[in-house]
Structures are given as structure tokens and as C-alpha cells.
Amino acid sequence: MREITFIEATREALAAAMARDATIFVVGEGIGPRGGNFNTTSGLYDIYGPERLRDTPISERGFVGMCAGAAMTGSRPIVDFMFVDFILDAMGEIINQAAKMQYMSSGRLTMPLILRGCIGIGSSAATHHSGSYFPHFVNIPGLRVVVPTNPYDAKGLFASALVSNDPVLFLEHKSILFRKGPVPEEEYTIPFGQARVAREGKDCTVVAVGGMVVKTLGACDELAQSGVDVEVIDPRTINPLDIDSVLASVHKTGRLLIVDETFQPCGIGAEITAQVVDRGFDDLDAPIRRLNGAYAPTPYSPTLEAAIVPSVASIVQAVQELMAE
């Protein structure tokens, strides 16, 4: 099978959907002739022009509100906000309007709105361009939160987002945007709420979120040399969360580590831990452990930046300590 990058895979899904559905349009800073900061819309402006690829000023609150209104009237807007940090200026529109509108209208209005952009630490992007914040969005009923980790999943999940009638946050870790992987040329979708077993194992379960999947798989190769067989679960979507796949893996292995770059307090790891303890306590042979990024703003210095994020070495160490319990 041919191999393309994460960004190329999402662009294929977007191009196919735009050709099929004239109600889809994209707004954002630099997504017109320039093709987006990360080439998310490269080449599409030449086909569809400014009516469907509309460059905007730096006004996230304004264009998120505008797109929420457009979604209510039958369009399928996509807000390309570049970095998730920028969309924090539009939290009122996202939480009080987009997330609640279907409920407040008793289902008479739908909200087919995609909010997409980069998350994660890397490349010395510093504290205003390195956030993830998906625990904030998972806390809000009505929002779908999608975090793909490879090109195949990116194309299939984005295709699902493009036909969803719910508001979807499509969050792409900057460290994997240009990683290549096998992707079919034909169209396909991946349903929300279905985790992926990224690696099968029998000794320990690791749930890795977002950019941590790649690092965890690297740690597994090292651990295998010492006889530790790790199973890796990639949630793919964290709202809805496929807790059944996590429970099935823990039933097999008896141990659980959750690896997540975001802050530990009130994070996704805490939610997964609570649900596993509630429904799978008798399967546990050791306490559930969490490995997170440092609870601190992201520094600019490459050395300090590397120190605050889980690494292959720290994942190996965390698994070894869990196996010793």
C-alpha cells in the first residue's frame, strides 16, 4: 500500500468531501492561497476559491461564532485554527453555543462544525503554541474529541468528522503531522468511539494518548528485549471513549499505565483510572499508574522542553516499575 503523510491523508479526505458536498467550507488564518500553516488545505484554493476557503483575520471568537451560525443554517463549516491555544479565545462560542445548541433546540438544529488544529509540545514552540487542552473539551457534553495518531486513522476519522452532525474537535499532534504511513486511495471512514490495539501484548497494558503513541511503541521495542510484552491501546477518540477496549486489555494483562503529555490533575488518565477501578478492579494485579507531562507552562528552551515531556526512557522506566509491583 502507498505511504503518505498524516497531513496528506486528511487533505485527501477533505478534498473528496468538498467535491461531493458544496456546503463544506473552510475558514482560518492563511488557509487560502497559502494552503495553511501546515499544508492542510494546499491546492484546494485553486479549485474552490475564496468562497469556500476563506482567509480570516486573527479573530477566533468572531469566526467560530460565525461558523456555529452557518452550521445551524445548513452549511458544514471547518475552522482551521492552526494551534489549539488560539481557539481558547472562542470558548464561549464553543461551550455555550456549539456544544449546547442541539439540546437547546430539542434536536431541531444540528451542529456539523469541525474545529481542527495542532496540539502538543515540540519544536520550541513555547507556551502559547504547545497546548493540548483536550481534557477541557472532554468535560463538555455535546462535543466530540478526536485525536488521531497515524495517517490511516487521520483520513478515516476526518472523513467521519466531515459527515458528523455534532461539533468535532479534530486535534493533530504537531510531532506526527509529516510522519508517513500506509493509507488506501479509496474513501473510508472510522467510527468514533473505537480504540485501536496498536500493539498486542500480555504482561502490561499501556493506554497512550496522541503523540505518546509513537514514543510508547518505541519503548515497547526496548522492553521486549528484556522479556516484557506490552499491549498498547490508542483511544483514537477520547469523547466518545472506548473504555471497553481498555477493560478487555486489562483483563488480559492485569496492569495498566496511562501515558499522556497533558497535565495530570483532572486529566484523561484520571478518568480512565476511575472507570477501570469501577468496572475492572478485580482484574488488577497492581495499582494503576499515570505518566504525564510536567505540571508547568511549556518552556522555549529545547533542553527544558524535552525535560517536561514523557520520553521513551521514562516510559520504559514507568513500565518496569509497574511490572515490579
Side-chain angles (χ1 to χ4, degrees):
M1 190 183 299
R2 66 177 186 150
E3 293 197 348
I4 59 175
T5 67
F6 185 108
I7 283 297
E8 288 171 329
T10 59
R11 198 166 60 237
E12 277 193 357
L14 176 59
M18 291 186 74
R20 184 175 55 250
D21 187 348
T23 68
I24 295 174
F25 67 92
V26 187
V27 304
E29 294 140 12
I31 56 86
R34 191 157 60 86
N37 233 37
F38 301 103
N39 298 326
T40 50
T41 56
S42 181
L44 295 177
Y45 184 87
D46 295 335
I47 302 171
Y48 297 111
E51 292 302 314
R52 296 183 65 189
L53 286 111
R54 180 59 58 93
D55 274 329
T56 66
I58 301 174
S59 54
E60 280 75 9
R61 184 172 187 179
F63 59 71
V64 170
M66 175 192 74
C67 287
M72 286 188 281
T73 59
S75 294
R76 289 187 168 272
I78 300 168
V79 175
D80 190 325
F81 52 79
M82 212 179 316
F83 295 96
V84 72
D85 310 78
F86 300 167
I87 211 167
L88 299 181
D89 290 332
M91 289 295 273
E93 279 66 30
I94 296 170
I95 294 173
N96 276 331
Q97 305 300 330
K100 298 177 180 178
M101 189 53 64
Q102 295 186 86
Y103 174 79
M104 292 192 296
S105 68
S106 298
R108 291 189 298 271
L109 297 173
T110 57
M111 186 56 66
L113 170 65
I114 297 177
L115 306 167
R116 76 172 296 190
C118 280
I119 60 172
I121 297 172
S123 306
S124 293
T127 193
H128 282 172
H129 299 75
S130 300
S132 290
Y133 306 111
F134 47 73
H136 296 62
F137 300 112
V138 171
N139 188 247
I140 304 302
L143 299 177
R144 304 288 180 237
V145 183
V146 180
V147 188
T149 63
N150 61 74
Y152 178 87
D153 288 353
K155 181 175 178 178
L157 289 166
F158 200 48
S160 291
L162 286 160
V163 295
S164 173
N165 285 324
D166 299 323
V168 178
L169 281 112
F170 193 85
L171 306 176
E172 307 154 286
H173 199 286
K174 66 166 72 82
S175 69
I176 57 181
L177 292 180
F178 299 101
R179 291 179 67 93
K180 288 189 174 183
V183 179
E185 291 188 34
E186 64 269 16
E187 293 185 59
Y188 60 93
T189 59
I190 296 174
F192 295 165
Q194 290 187 7
R196 174 178 70 102
V197 179
R199 179 184 176 122
E200 293 189 356
K202 59 181 175 57
D203 297 329
C204 175
T205 298
V206 177
V207 175
V209 183
M212 293 296 101
V213 172
V214 173
K215 290 185 179 182
T216 299
L217 291 172
C220 290
D221 293 337
E222 186 173 331
L223 288 160
Q225 296 175 11
S226 59
V228 180
D229 190 16
V230 177
E231 181 151 294
V232 180
I233 304 295
D234 173 5
R236 299 201 286 197
T237 66
I238 49 178
N239 192 20
L241 176 67
D242 181 7
I243 197 66
D244 289 336
S245 290
V246 178
L247 289 165
S249 181
V250 171
H251 179 74
K252 178 169 59 172
T253 68
R255 286 174 164 79
L256 175 61
L257 170 69
I258 302 149
V259 182
D260 180 13
E261 181 182 294
T262 64
F263 308 132
Q264 189 173 103
C266 305
I268 299 304
E271 177 61 27
I272 294 172
T273 298
Q275 293 198 39
V276 171
V277 168
D278 184 46
R279 296 177 53 190
F281 181 79
D282 291 339
D283 289 330
L284 292 167
D285 297 325
I288 299 172
R289 299 301 185 194
R290 292 177 289 162
L291 178 63
N292 288 78
Y295 190 50
T298 304
Y300 174 78
S301 159
T303 304
L304 294 176
E305 181 186 65
I308 70 166
V309 183
S311 63
V312 170
S314 65
I315 296 169
V316 168
Q317 181 180 351
V319 171
Q320 290 172 335
E321 291 173 353
L322 181 56
M323 293 302 299
E325 290 279 357

